[in-house]
Structures are given as C-alpha cells and as structure tokens.
C-alpha cells in the first residue's frame, strides 16, 4: 500500500539500475495441481535487479552481477509488477535513478 501511495522510498542511491524479468512454467504436483484438469502447469515469475557487473576472476568472458535483488512469485503479471516495484522502492531512492534498463521477457 505504501508503494502505491508513493510513500515507500529506500536509502540506496544509484544512477543506473538494471532489471530483468521472465516467467517459467512448472509442472505442478499434489494440492497445487489444477482441479479442473485443464493445465498441470503454473507460471512462476522471476525478476532480478542489479547495479552492474564485474569480470569474474580468472575468466576471459565471465561476468558476475553485483548488488542484486531477486523477486519470484506465482501472482498474475500486474500484481507481480507491483510487488517487484515495491521491492525496488523499498531498497532504492527511485527519484535518484537516472537510467533504468529493463528487460521484460514474456511478461
């Protein structure tokens, strides 16, 4: 609710923030399986936010991201985006982000 009211603001300040998101379909088992029999699969949404990357020690082409924040959930896309936004706003002062590079794949 604080995020939707614009009252959620973290302390960390960065000029550039990278964000990636995607969904992955999982075969559900047991109580989580659909009762209607239409689909045995459910989509989990995954999101990662990071401030940049560094070359991995001892590797020519290997990189590692730093200061990453991860979010995952079975919510619908709209609700997941709100929760992801709230997660970012809780950590970062979003008013100070000058460039936000966001890659949403299949969402």
């Amino acid at each position: 609710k604080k995020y939707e009211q614009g009252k959620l603001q973290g302390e960390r300040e960065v000029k550039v923030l990278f964000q990636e998101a995607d969904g992955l379909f999982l075969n559900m088992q047991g109580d989580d399986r659909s009762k209607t029999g239409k689909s045995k699969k459910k989509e989990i949404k995954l999101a990662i936010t990071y401030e940049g990357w560094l070359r991995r020690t001892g590797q020519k082409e290997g990189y590692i991201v730093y200061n990453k924040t991860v979010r995952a959930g079975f919510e619908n896309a709209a609700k997941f985006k709100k929760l992801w936004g709230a997660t970012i706003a809780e950590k970062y002062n979003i008013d100070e982000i000058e460039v936000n590079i966001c890659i949403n794949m299949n969402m």
Side-chain angles (χ1 to χ4, degrees), residues 12-106:
R12 190 154 181 80
E13 293 184 1
V14 295
K15 292 185 181 203
V16 179
L17 193 63
F18 298 88
Q19 298 175 272
E20 296 181 34
D22 203 352
L24 176 68
F25 283 92
L26 302 174
N27 286 317
M28 303 309 289
Q29 298 177 1
D31 293 340
D32 293 327
R33 188 176 230 169
S34 173
K35 305 294 185 232
T36 62
K38 289 183 179 179
S39 177
K40 298 175 186 174
K41 294 184 177 187
K42 198 170 184 182
E43 184 181 24
I44 186 168
K45 286 137 183 93
L46 309 162
I48 182 171
T49 303
Y50 54 95
E51 296 177 18
W53 57 90
L54 301 168
R55 187 174 298 276
R56 192 178 295 259
T57 306
Q59 294 183 2
K60 276 193 215 179
E61 298 180 24
Y63 292 89
I64 187 167
V65 298
Y66 63 89
N67 290 335
K68 64 182 171 182
T69 303
V70 179
R71 179 88 174 151
F74 284 104
E75 297 85 9
N76 66 39
K79 185 171 183 180
F80 182 76
K81 286 180 183 181
K82 282 183 185 179
L83 292 172
W84 185 18
T87 301
I88 293 165
E90 188 175 49
K91 183 175 182 178
Y92 294 97
N93 179 347
I94 56 175
D95 295 333
E96 297 299 320
I97 299 171
E98 294 176 14
V99 180
N100 191 352
I101 300 171
C102 189
I103 302 168
N104 288 324
M105 303 159 54
N106 300 324

